[in-house]
Amino acid sequence: PRVVVGAAFRRGAGAVPRDRAGLAVYTASLMERGAGDRDALALAQAVDEIGASMSVTTGWDSTSVILSGLSRDLDRLVELLTDLVLRPRLDAGEAGRVRSEQLAKLGQARDDPATLVGWAAGQTLYPDHRYGRPLSGTPESVSRLDAAAARDFHRRVFVPGNATDFLKP
């Protein structure tokens, strides 16, 4: 009775310049804050009213948009997926909130020894490469991110020739 629909794109945080570290994570979070005609609250309500779940995630080499819900709501899930992939709002007001949240998470991560070891290992193994920076960026790089940067990342990554779609019953 459940179905999963989504799209995966061949680029992620590894395609972001070092001075914009965190942009892929920032854009993924911002995409969940409104799409199509729906602002953040309306999008969350549309997902909740059909008992579905939604996620936009990114790694070093890919970015994915996934919705899951009941198979009887497949048309609605595909509609929401289409809006998320093709028409994310990427609003300036939400962009500021997402940036603040991402900066707070980076601050919290500085208190986690395992995270610090991972960051140090990445910097040691890849000193002059994007992989040497944390996936979620640094306070310096994240503080410079805005809606325009997210729109630019979206425009470069979310293109038809870069996507694979899937439907999983």
mmCIF file of all heavy atoms in Angstrom, residues 71-125:
data_model
loop_
_atom_site.group_PDB
_atom_site.id
_atom_site.type_symbol
_atom_site.label_atom_id
_atom_site.label_comp_id
_atom_site.label_asym_id
_atom_site.label_seq_id
_atom_site.Cartn_x
_atom_site.Cartn_y
_atom_site.Cartn_z
ATOM 1 N N SER A 71 -0.121 4.346 -1.819
ATOM 2 C CA SER A 71 -0.210 4.225 -3.279
ATOM 3 C C SER A 71 -1.462 4.899 -3.832
ATOM 4 O O SER A 71 -1.445 5.384 -4.961
ATOM 5 C CB SER A 71 -0.157 2.755 -3.696
ATOM 6 O OG SER A 71 -1.180 2.021 -3.079
ATOM 7 N N ARG A 72 -2.517 4.998 -3.045
ATOM 8 C CA ARG A 72 -3.721 5.676 -3.531
ATOM 9 C C ARG A 72 -3.490 7.175 -3.738
ATOM 10 O O ARG A 72 -4.246 7.837 -4.432
ATOM 11 C CB ARG A 72 -4.887 5.455 -2.571
ATOM 12 C CG ARG A 72 -4.745 6.199 -1.263
ATOM 13 C CD ARG A 72 -5.992 6.077 -0.409
ATOM 14 N NE ARG A 72 -5.828 6.859 0.785
ATOM 15 C CZ ARG A 72 -6.024 6.410 2.010
ATOM 16 N NH1 ARG A 72 -6.428 5.168 2.206
ATOM 17 N NH2 ARG A 72 -5.840 7.201 3.046
ATOM 18 N N ASP A 73 -2.418 7.720 -3.142
ATOM 19 C CA ASP A 73 -2.083 9.140 -3.280
ATOM 20 C C ASP A 73 -0.952 9.377 -4.274
ATOM 21 O O ASP A 73 -0.315 10.431 -4.252
ATOM 22 C CB ASP A 73 -1.690 9.715 -1.914
ATOM 23 C CG ASP A 73 -2.832 9.676 -0.921
ATOM 24 O OD1 ASP A 73 -3.974 9.960 -1.327
ATOM 25 O OD2 ASP A 73 -2.572 9.353 0.260
ATOM 26 N N LEU A 74 -0.708 8.409 -5.151
ATOM 27 C CA LEU A 74 0.415 8.512 -6.081
ATOM 28 C C LEU A 74 0.364 9.792 -6.913
ATOM 29 O O LEU A 74 1.379 10.472 -7.061
ATOM 30 C CB LEU A 74 0.464 7.290 -7.004
ATOM 31 C CG LEU A 74 1.585 7.287 -8.045
ATOM 32 C CD1 LEU A 74 2.954 7.352 -7.371
ATOM 33 C CD2 LEU A 74 1.486 6.057 -8.936
ATOM 34 N N ASP A 75 -0.794 10.149 -7.440
ATOM 35 C CA ASP A 75 -0.890 11.367 -8.257
ATOM 36 C C ASP A 75 -0.477 12.599 -7.454
ATOM 37 O O ASP A 75 0.233 13.475 -7.955
ATOM 38 C CB ASP A 75 -2.302 11.549 -8.806
ATOM 39 C CG ASP A 75 -2.652 10.524 -9.870
ATOM 40 O OD1 ASP A 75 -1.726 9.885 -10.408
ATOM 41 O OD2 ASP A 75 -3.855 10.355 -10.156
ATOM 42 N N ARG A 76 -0.906 12.663 -6.218
ATOM 43 C CA ARG A 76 -0.569 13.802 -5.352
ATOM 44 C C ARG A 76 0.925 13.809 -5.028
ATOM 45 O O ARG A 76 1.563 14.861 -4.997
ATOM 46 C CB ARG A 76 -1.403 13.719 -4.081
ATOM 47 C CG ARG A 76 -1.350 14.931 -3.217
ATOM 48 C CD ARG A 76 -2.279 16.034 -3.760
ATOM 49 N NE ARG A 76 -2.172 17.237 -2.996
ATOM 50 C CZ ARG A 76 -2.860 17.502 -1.899
ATOM 51 N NH1 ARG A 76 -3.745 16.648 -1.456
ATOM 52 N NH2 ARG A 76 -2.667 18.626 -1.258
ATOM 53 N N LEU A 77 1.484 12.627 -4.786
ATOM 54 C CA LEU A 77 2.924 12.527 -4.515
ATOM 55 C C LEU A 77 3.744 12.998 -5.710
ATOM 56 O O LEU A 77 4.732 13.727 -5.556
ATOM 57 C CB LEU A 77 3.293 11.095 -4.135
ATOM 58 C CG LEU A 77 2.775 10.593 -2.793
ATOM 59 C CD1 LEU A 77 2.946 9.085 -2.689
ATOM 60 C CD2 LEU A 77 3.475 11.292 -1.648
ATOM 61 N N VAL A 78 3.333 12.594 -6.898
ATOM 62 C CA VAL A 78 4.053 13.011 -8.110
ATOM 63 C C VAL A 78 3.911 14.519 -8.310
ATOM 64 O O VAL A 78 4.869 15.195 -8.704
ATOM 65 C CB VAL A 78 3.557 12.215 -9.343
ATOM 66 C CG1 VAL A 78 4.117 12.786 -10.628
ATOM 67 C CG2 VAL A 78 3.944 10.742 -9.202
ATOM 68 N N GLU A 79 2.751 15.067 -8.018
ATOM 69 C CA GLU A 79 2.546 16.521 -8.113
ATOM 70 C C GLU A 79 3.488 17.266 -7.164
ATOM 71 O O GLU A 79 4.142 18.245 -7.551
ATOM 72 C CB GLU A 79 1.096 16.855 -7.775
ATOM 73 C CG GLU A 79 0.807 18.334 -7.689
ATOM 74 C CD GLU A 79 -0.557 18.620 -7.064
ATOM 75 O OE1 GLU A 79 -1.462 17.773 -7.153
ATOM 76 O OE2 GLU A 79 -0.699 19.706 -6.475
ATOM 77 N N LEU A 80 3.575 16.794 -5.935
ATOM 78 C CA LEU A 80 4.470 17.415 -4.959
ATOM 79 C C LEU A 80 5.933 17.267 -5.369
ATOM 80 O O LEU A 80 6.719 18.216 -5.261
ATOM 81 C CB LEU A 80 4.244 16.807 -3.572
ATOM 82 C CG LEU A 80 2.915 17.151 -2.910
ATOM 83 C CD1 LEU A 80 2.658 16.243 -1.713
ATOM 84 C CD2 LEU A 80 2.881 18.611 -2.501
ATOM 85 N N LEU A 81 6.301 16.082 -5.858
ATOM 86 C CA LEU A 81 7.665 15.852 -6.329
ATOM 87 C C LEU A 81 8.005 16.814 -7.466
ATOM 88 O O LEU A 81 9.086 17.422 -7.475
ATOM 89 C CB LEU A 81 7.838 14.403 -6.791
ATOM 90 C CG LEU A 81 9.185 14.062 -7.429
ATOM 91 C CD1 LEU A 81 10.297 14.131 -6.395
ATOM 92 C CD2 LEU A 81 9.132 12.678 -8.063
ATOM 93 N N THR A 82 7.086 16.967 -8.394
ATOM 94 C CA THR A 82 7.307 17.869 -9.528
ATOM 95 C C THR A 82 7.546 19.287 -9.051
ATOM 96 O O THR A 82 8.473 19.970 -9.515
ATOM 97 C CB THR A 82 6.109 17.811 -10.492
ATOM 98 O OG1 THR A 82 5.952 16.465 -10.944
ATOM 99 C CG2 THR A 82 6.311 18.722 -11.681
ATOM 100 N N ASP A 83 6.728 19.758 -8.115
ATOM 101 C CA ASP A 83 6.927 21.107 -7.584
ATOM 102 C C ASP A 83 8.270 21.236 -6.881
ATOM 103 O O ASP A 83 8.995 22.214 -7.078
ATOM 104 C CB ASP A 83 5.801 21.475 -6.610
ATOM 105 C CG ASP A 83 4.542 21.946 -7.312
ATOM 106 O OD1 ASP A 83 4.591 22.226 -8.533
ATOM 107 O OD2 ASP A 83 3.491 22.039 -6.639
ATOM 108 N N LEU A 84 8.624 20.249 -6.065
ATOM 109 C CA LEU A 84 9.896 20.314 -5.338
ATOM 110 C C LEU A 84 11.097 20.358 -6.278
ATOM 111 O O LEU A 84 12.041 21.107 -6.054
ATOM 112 C CB LEU A 84 10.027 19.110 -4.396
ATOM 113 C CG LEU A 84 9.240 19.206 -3.101
ATOM 114 C CD1 LEU A 84 9.111 17.838 -2.456
ATOM 115 C CD2 LEU A 84 9.911 20.180 -2.145
ATOM 116 N N VAL A 85 11.051 19.557 -7.330
ATOM 117 C CA VAL A 85 12.192 19.471 -8.246
ATOM 118 C C VAL A 85 12.241 20.642 -9.218
ATOM 119 O O VAL A 85 13.295 21.235 -9.430
ATOM 120 C CB VAL A 85 12.162 18.127 -9.014
ATOM 121 C CG1 VAL A 85 13.180 18.115 -10.138
ATOM 122 C CG2 VAL A 85 12.407 16.971 -8.060
ATOM 123 N N LEU A 86 11.097 20.997 -9.786
ATOM 124 C CA LEU A 86 11.082 22.007 -10.846
ATOM 125 C C LEU A 86 10.760 23.420 -10.373
ATOM 126 O O LEU A 86 11.150 24.389 -11.023
ATOM 127 C CB LEU A 86 10.064 21.616 -11.930
ATOM 128 C CG LEU A 86 10.329 20.301 -12.647
ATOM 129 C CD1 LEU A 86 9.223 20.023 -13.651
ATOM 130 C CD2 LEU A 86 11.696 20.319 -13.326
ATOM 131 N N ARG A 87 10.025 23.539 -9.263
ATOM 132 C CA ARG A 87 9.565 24.859 -8.834
ATOM 133 C C ARG A 87 9.772 25.118 -7.339
ATOM 134 O O ARG A 87 8.837 25.557 -6.659
ATOM 135 C CB ARG A 87 8.085 25.017 -9.190
ATOM 136 C CG ARG A 87 7.828 25.054 -10.684
ATOM 137 C CD ARG A 87 6.349 25.170 -11.015
ATOM 138 N NE ARG A 87 5.582 23.967 -10.723
ATOM 139 C CZ ARG A 87 5.544 22.888 -11.497
ATOM 140 N NH1 ARG A 87 6.239 22.852 -12.609
ATOM 141 N NH2 ARG A 87 4.818 21.839 -11.173
ATOM 142 N N PRO A 88 10.964 24.869 -6.815
ATOM 143 C CA PRO A 88 11.166 25.221 -5.407
ATOM 144 C C PRO A 88 11.114 26.741 -5.260
ATOM 145 O O PRO A 88 11.547 27.468 -6.149
ATOM 146 C CB PRO A 88 12.560 24.677 -5.103
ATOM 147 C CG PRO A 88 13.261 24.728 -6.416
ATOM 148 C CD PRO A 88 12.198 24.413 -7.444
ATOM 149 N N ARG A 89 10.567 27.211 -4.168
ATOM 150 C CA ARG A 89 10.395 28.659 -4.001
ATOM 151 C C ARG A 89 11.712 29.365 -3.705
ATOM 152 O O ARG A 89 11.945 30.461 -4.185
ATOM 153 C CB ARG A 89 9.368 28.930 -2.925
ATOM 154 C CG ARG A 89 8.011 28.419 -3.419
ATOM 155 C CD ARG A 89 6.893 28.780 -2.588
ATOM 156 N NE ARG A 89 6.738 30.212 -2.434
ATOM 157 C CZ ARG A 89 5.594 30.768 -2.111
ATOM 158 N NH1 ARG A 89 4.532 30.031 -1.952
ATOM 159 N NH2 ARG A 89 5.514 32.058 -1.934
ATOM 160 N N LEU A 90 12.531 28.778 -2.855
ATOM 161 C CA LEU A 90 13.833 29.356 -2.509
ATOM 162 C C LEU A 90 13.699 30.825 -2.123
ATOM 163 O O LEU A 90 14.419 31.700 -2.615
ATOM 164 C CB LEU A 90 14.827 29.162 -3.666
ATOM 165 C CG LEU A 90 14.997 27.722 -4.167
ATOM 166 C CD1 LEU A 90 15.875 27.665 -5.400
ATOM 167 C CD2 LEU A 90 15.524 26.803 -3.080
ATOM 168 N N ASP A 91 12.742 31.098 -1.240
ATOM 169 C CA ASP A 91 12.429 32.459 -0.790
ATOM 170 C C ASP A 91 13.536 33.038 0.087
ATOM 171 O O ASP A 91 14.145 32.333 0.887
ATOM 172 C CB ASP A 91 11.122 32.474 0.004
ATOM 173 C CG ASP A 91 9.905 32.170 -0.838
ATOM 174 O OD1 ASP A 91 9.940 32.459 -2.059
ATOM 175 O OD2 ASP A 91 8.919 31.648 -0.293
ATOM 176 N N ALA A 92 13.723 34.343 -0.033
ATOM 177 C CA ALA A 92 14.757 35.032 0.741
ATOM 178 C C ALA A 92 14.504 34.932 2.244
ATOM 179 O O ALA A 92 15.443 34.734 3.025
ATOM 180 C CB ALA A 92 14.858 36.490 0.312
ATOM 181 N N GLY A 93 13.252 35.076 2.685
ATOM 182 C CA GLY A 93 12.947 34.995 4.119
ATOM 183 C C GLY A 93 13.288 33.638 4.690
ATOM 184 O O GLY A 93 13.896 33.533 5.768
ATOM 185 N N GLU A 94 12.901 32.583 3.984
ATOM 186 C CA GLU A 94 13.228 31.228 4.429
ATOM 187 C C GLU A 94 14.726 30.987 4.350
ATOM 188 O O GLU A 94 15.297 30.272 5.172
ATOM 189 C CB GLU A 94 12.471 30.187 3.595
ATOM 190 C CG GLU A 94 10.988 30.152 3.843
ATOM 191 C CD GLU A 94 10.605 29.692 5.244
ATOM 192 O OE1 GLU A 94 11.402 28.997 5.908
ATOM 193 O OE2 GLU A 94 9.499 30.044 5.680
ATOM 194 N N ALA A 95 15.381 31.594 3.362
ATOM 195 C CA ALA A 95 16.827 31.419 3.203
ATOM 196 C C ALA A 95 17.569 31.899 4.441
ATOM 197 O O ALA A 95 18.522 31.259 4.896
ATOM 198 C CB ALA A 95 17.314 32.143 1.955
ATOM 199 N N GLY A 96 17.131 33.016 5.000
ATOM 200 C CA GLY A 96 17.756 33.529 6.219
ATOM 201 C C GLY A 96 17.575 32.577 7.391
ATOM 202 O O GLY A 96 18.505 32.353 8.176
ATOM 203 N N ARG A 97 16.393 31.995 7.515
ATOM 204 C CA ARG A 97 16.135 31.039 8.599
ATOM 205 C C ARG A 97 16.978 29.774 8.424
ATOM 206 O O ARG A 97 17.543 29.254 9.390
ATOM 207 C CB ARG A 97 14.646 30.702 8.665
ATOM 208 C CG ARG A 97 13.808 31.817 9.277
ATOM 209 C CD ARG A 97 12.368 31.416 9.481
ATOM 210 N NE ARG A 97 11.534 31.585 8.313
ATOM 211 C CZ ARG A 97 11.075 32.738 7.865
ATOM 212 N NH1 ARG A 97 11.393 33.860 8.479
ATOM 213 N NH2 ARG A 97 10.316 32.793 6.793
ATOM 214 N N VAL A 98 17.051 29.278 7.195
ATOM 215 C CA VAL A 98 17.844 28.068 6.935
ATOM 216 C C VAL A 98 19.316 28.332 7.234
ATOM 217 O O VAL A 98 19.995 27.496 7.837
ATOM 218 C CB VAL A 98 17.643 27.584 5.477
ATOM 219 C CG1 VAL A 98 18.654 26.511 5.113
ATOM 220 C CG2 VAL A 98 16.227 27.061 5.290
ATOM 221 N N ARG A 99 19.819 29.505 6.844
ATOM 222 C CA ARG A 99 21.223 29.846 7.116
ATOM 223 C C ARG A 99 21.477 29.867 8.631
ATOM 224 O O ARG A 99 22.457 29.298 9.113
ATOM 225 C CB ARG A 99 21.581 31.199 6.503
ATOM 226 C CG ARG A 99 23.024 31.585 6.699
ATOM 227 C CD ARG A 99 23.411 32.912 6.028
ATOM 228 N NE ARG A 99 22.466 33.974 6.291
ATOM 229 C CZ ARG A 99 21.610 34.471 5.393
ATOM 230 N NH1 ARG A 99 21.588 34.009 4.159
ATOM 231 N NH2 ARG A 99 20.787 35.435 5.723
ATOM 232 N N SER A 100 20.569 30.477 9.395
ATOM 233 C CA SER A 100 20.723 30.523 10.852
ATOM 234 C C SER A 100 20.712 29.126 11.458
ATOM 235 O O SER A 100 21.508 28.825 12.355
ATOM 236 C CB SER A 100 19.602 31.360 11.477
ATOM 237 O OG SER A 100 19.717 32.702 11.079
ATOM 238 N N GLU A 101 19.819 28.280 10.975
ATOM 239 C CA GLU A 101 19.754 26.903 11.475
ATOM 240 C C GLU A 101 21.027 26.132 11.149
ATOM 241 O O GLU A 101 21.553 25.385 11.980
ATOM 242 C CB GLU A 101 18.539 26.185 10.885
ATOM 243 C CG GLU A 101 17.217 26.714 11.402
ATOM 244 C CD GLU A 101 16.022 26.223 10.605
ATOM 245 O OE1 GLU A 101 16.199 25.337 9.718
ATOM 246 O OE2 GLU A 101 14.915 26.715 10.858
ATOM 247 N N GLN A 102 21.538 26.313 9.927
ATOM 248 C CA GLN A 102 22.749 25.599 9.524
ATOM 249 C C GLN A 102 23.946 26.074 10.348
ATOM 250 O O GLN A 102 24.784 25.268 10.758
ATOM 251 C CB GLN A 102 22.996 25.782 8.021
ATOM 252 C CG GLN A 102 24.002 24.829 7.447
ATOM 253 C CD GLN A 102 23.934 24.756 5.925
ATOM 254 O OE1 GLN A 102 22.905 25.047 5.321
ATOM 255 N NE2 GLN A 102 25.032 24.382 5.310
ATOM 256 N N LEU A 103 24.022 27.381 10.612
ATOM 257 C CA LEU A 103 25.102 27.905 11.450
ATOM 258 C C LEU A 103 25.005 27.358 12.877
ATOM 259 O O LEU A 103 26.027 27.012 13.489
ATOM 260 C CB LEU A 103 25.079 29.437 11.458
ATOM 261 C CG LEU A 103 25.558 30.100 10.169
ATOM 262 C CD1 LEU A 103 25.216 31.589 10.163
ATOM 263 C CD2 LEU A 103 27.052 29.884 9.968
ATOM 264 N N ALA A 104 23.787 27.250 13.400
ATOM 265 C CA ALA A 104 23.604 26.695 14.746
ATOM 266 C C ALA A 104 24.048 25.234 14.790
ATOM 267 O O ALA A 104 24.694 24.803 15.748
ATOM 268 C CB ALA A 104 22.142 26.829 15.171
ATOM 269 N N LYS A 105 23.719 24.467 13.754
ATOM 270 C CA LYS A 105 24.128 23.059 13.706
ATOM 271 C C LYS A 105 25.648 22.934 13.639
ATOM 272 O O LYS A 105 26.236 22.044 14.252
ATOM 273 C CB LYS A 105 23.483 22.356 12.513
ATOM 274 C CG LYS A 105 22.010 22.101 12.695
ATOM 275 C CD LYS A 105 21.406 21.465 11.460
ATOM 276 C CE LYS A 105 19.910 21.337 11.586
ATOM 277 N NZ LYS A 105 19.281 20.834 10.352
ATOM 278 N N LEU A 106 26.285 23.836 12.885
ATOM 279 C CA LEU A 106 27.748 23.815 12.826
ATOM 280 C C LEU A 106 28.341 24.117 14.198
ATOM 281 O O LEU A 106 29.340 23.508 14.594
ATOM 282 C CB LEU A 106 28.254 24.823 11.792
ATOM 283 C CG LEU A 106 28.107 24.422 10.334
ATOM 284 C CD1 LEU A 106 28.413 25.609 9.416
ATOM 285 C CD2 LEU A 106 29.013 23.253 10.010
ATOM 286 N N GLY A 107 27.736 25.055 14.921
ATOM 287 C CA GLY A 107 28.205 25.367 16.268
ATOM 288 C C GLY A 107 28.072 24.182 17.194
ATOM 289 O O GLY A 107 28.980 23.888 17.989
ATOM 290 N N GLN A 108 26.958 23.478 17.110
ATOM 291 C CA GLN A 108 26.751 22.283 17.932
ATOM 292 C C GLN A 108 27.744 21.186 17.562
ATOM 293 O O GLN A 108 28.239 20.463 18.429
ATOM 294 C CB GLN A 108 25.329 21.764 17.769
ATOM 295 C CG GLN A 108 24.280 22.662 18.373
ATOM 296 C CD GLN A 108 22.872 22.217 18.015
ATOM 297 O OE1 GLN A 108 22.661 21.427 17.101
ATOM 298 N NE2 GLN A 108 21.895 22.753 18.733
ATOM 299 N N ALA A 109 28.027 21.059 16.265
ATOM 300 C CA ALA A 109 28.942 20.007 15.807
ATOM 301 C C ALA A 109 30.350 20.203 16.372
ATOM 302 O O ALA A 109 31.083 19.233 16.567
ATOM 303 C CB ALA A 109 28.978 19.972 14.287
ATOM 304 N N ARG A 110 30.707 21.442 16.667
ATOM 305 C CA ARG A 110 32.044 21.712 17.224
ATOM 306 C C ARG A 110 32.224 21.129 18.621
ATOM 307 O O ARG A 110 33.334 21.071 19.128
ATOM 308 C CB ARG A 110 32.316 23.218 17.238
ATOM 309 C CG ARG A 110 32.500 23.791 15.862
ATOM 310 C CD ARG A 110 32.833 25.278 15.953
ATOM 311 N NE ARG A 110 32.924 25.880 14.639
ATOM 312 C CZ ARG A 110 34.027 25.936 13.914
ATOM 313 N NH1 ARG A 110 35.139 25.426 14.382
ATOM 314 N NH2 ARG A 110 34.021 26.512 12.734
ATOM 315 N N ASP A 111 31.128 20.706 19.232
ATOM 316 C CA ASP A 111 31.200 20.084 20.559
ATOM 317 C C ASP A 111 31.210 18.558 20.486
ATOM 318 O O ASP A 111 31.216 17.902 21.531
ATOM 319 C CB ASP A 111 30.003 20.530 21.414
ATOM 320 C CG ASP A 111 30.071 22.007 21.761
ATOM 321 O OD1 ASP A 111 31.188 22.550 21.827
ATOM 322 O OD2 ASP A 111 28.991 22.613 21.954
ATOM 323 N N ASP A 112 31.190 18.003 19.279
ATOM 324 C CA ASP A 112 31.144 16.549 19.107
ATOM 325 C C ASP A 112 32.517 16.045 18.660
ATOM 326 O O ASP A 112 32.950 16.321 17.541
ATOM 327 C CB ASP A 112 30.078 16.182 18.068
ATOM 328 C CG ASP A 112 30.014 14.694 17.817
ATOM 329 O OD1 ASP A 112 30.191 13.915 18.772
ATOM 330 O OD2 ASP A 112 29.771 14.305 16.654
ATOM 331 N N PRO A 113 33.222 15.312 19.526
ATOM 332 C CA PRO A 113 34.570 14.846 19.179
ATOM 333 C C PRO A 113 34.626 14.026 17.890
ATOM 334 O O PRO A 113 35.560 14.188 17.092
ATOM 335 C CB PRO A 113 34.973 13.995 20.380
ATOM 336 C CG PRO A 113 34.142 14.495 21.504
ATOM 337 C CD PRO A 113 32.845 14.921 20.888
ATOM 338 N N ALA A 114 33.635 13.171 17.650
ATOM 339 C CA ALA A 114 33.655 12.346 16.435
ATOM 340 C C ALA A 114 33.551 13.213 15.188
ATOM 341 O O ALA A 114 34.229 12.957 14.178
ATOM 342 C CB ALA A 114 32.512 11.328 16.469
ATOM 343 N N THR A 115 32.733 14.248 15.245
ATOM 344 C CA THR A 115 32.608 15.162 14.105
ATOM 345 C C THR A 115 33.923 15.900 13.871
ATOM 346 O O THR A 115 34.374 16.032 12.728
ATOM 347 C CB THR A 115 31.469 16.169 14.344
ATOM 348 O OG1 THR A 115 30.251 15.443 14.483
ATOM 349 C CG2 THR A 115 31.352 17.152 13.192
ATOM 350 N N LEU A 116 34.548 16.356 14.945
ATOM 351 C CA LEU A 116 35.818 17.076 14.817
ATOM 352 C C LEU A 116 36.911 16.193 14.220
ATOM 353 O O LEU A 116 37.705 16.656 13.391
ATOM 354 C CB LEU A 116 36.255 17.618 16.182
ATOM 355 C CG LEU A 116 35.344 18.697 16.778
ATOM 356 C CD1 LEU A 116 35.807 19.078 18.179
ATOM 357 C CD2 LEU A 116 35.293 19.919 15.874
ATOM 358 N N VAL A 117 36.940 14.935 14.621
ATOM 359 C CA VAL A 117 37.913 13.996 14.059
ATOM 360 C C VAL A 117 37.648 13.815 12.562
ATOM 361 O O VAL A 117 38.580 13.803 11.756
ATOM 362 C CB VAL A 117 37.878 12.639 14.801
ATOM 363 C CG1 VAL A 117 38.640 11.568 14.046
ATOM 364 C CG2 VAL A 117 38.433 12.804 16.205
ATOM 365 N N GLY A 118 36.390 13.665 12.179
ATOM 366 C CA GLY A 118 36.042 13.529 10.764
ATOM 367 C C GLY A 118 36.454 14.737 9.949
ATOM 368 O O GLY A 118 36.987 14.604 8.843
ATOM 369 N N TRP A 119 36.213 15.916 10.490
ATOM 370 C CA TRP A 119 36.606 17.137 9.788
ATOM 371 C C TRP A 119 38.126 17.216 9.639
ATOM 372 O O TRP A 119 38.636 17.579 8.573
ATOM 373 C CB TRP A 119 36.103 18.370 10.527
ATOM 374 C CG TRP A 119 34.617 18.584 10.448
ATOM 375 C CD1 TRP A 119 33.714 17.888 9.696
ATOM 376 C CD2 TRP A 119 33.868 19.553 11.165
ATOM 377 N NE1 TRP A 119 32.450 18.377 9.900
ATOM 378 C CE2 TRP A 119 32.509 19.406 10.800
ATOM 379 C CE3 TRP A 119 34.196 20.534 12.091
ATOM 380 C CZ2 TRP A 119 31.496 20.209 11.307
ATOM 381 C CZ3 TRP A 119 33.184 21.339 12.601
ATOM 382 C CH2 TRP A 119 31.851 21.171 12.207
ATOM 383 N N ALA A 120 38.850 16.875 10.715
ATOM 384 C CA ALA A 120 40.318 16.916 10.660
ATOM 385 C C ALA A 120 40.848 15.901 9.656
ATOM 386 O O ALA A 120 41.791 16.197 8.896
ATOM 387 C CB ALA A 120 40.905 16.662 12.049
ATOM 388 N N ALA A 121 40.252 14.724 9.610
ATOM 389 C CA ALA A 121 40.684 13.703 8.656
ATOM 390 C C ALA A 121 40.452 14.183 7.224
ATOM 391 O O ALA A 121 41.327 14.021 6.362
ATOM 392 C CB ALA A 121 39.941 12.396 8.898
ATOM 393 N N GLY A 122 39.302 14.768 6.959
ATOM 394 C CA GLY A 122 39.021 15.279 5.619
ATOM 395 C C GLY A 122 40.007 16.352 5.206
ATOM 396 O O GLY A 122 40.496 16.361 4.069
ATOM 397 N N GLN A 123 40.313 17.254 6.129
ATOM 398 C CA GLN A 123 41.247 18.331 5.824
ATOM 399 C C GLN A 123 42.664 17.795 5.605
ATOM 400 O O GLN A 123 43.406 18.303 4.768
ATOM 401 C CB GLN A 123 41.232 19.352 6.950
ATOM 402 C CG GLN A 123 41.841 20.674 6.562
ATOM 403 C CD GLN A 123 41.518 21.745 7.578
ATOM 404 O OE1 GLN A 123 41.078 21.461 8.692
ATOM 405 N NE2 GLN A 123 41.741 22.980 7.207
ATOM 406 N N THR A 124 43.025 16.748 6.326
ATOM 407 C CA THR A 124 44.343 16.147 6.179
ATOM 408 C C THR A 124 44.457 15.386 4.864
ATOM 409 O O THR A 124 45.454 15.503 4.147
ATOM 410 C CB THR A 124 44.636 15.199 7.361
ATOM 411 O OG1 THR A 124 44.576 15.951 8.572
ATOM 412 C CG2 THR A 124 45.998 14.545 7.214
ATOM 413 N N LEU A 125 43.432 14.603 4.530
ATOM 414 C CA LEU A 125 43.455 13.797 3.313
ATOM 415 C C LEU A 125 43.268 14.626 2.042
ATOM 416 O O LEU A 125 43.810 14.302 0.996
ATOM 417 C CB LEU A 125 42.379 12.713 3.379
ATOM 418 C CG LEU A 125 42.575 11.648 4.449
ATOM 419 C CD1 LEU A 125 41.337 10.770 4.563
ATOM 420 C CD2 LEU A 125 43.803 10.805 4.134
#
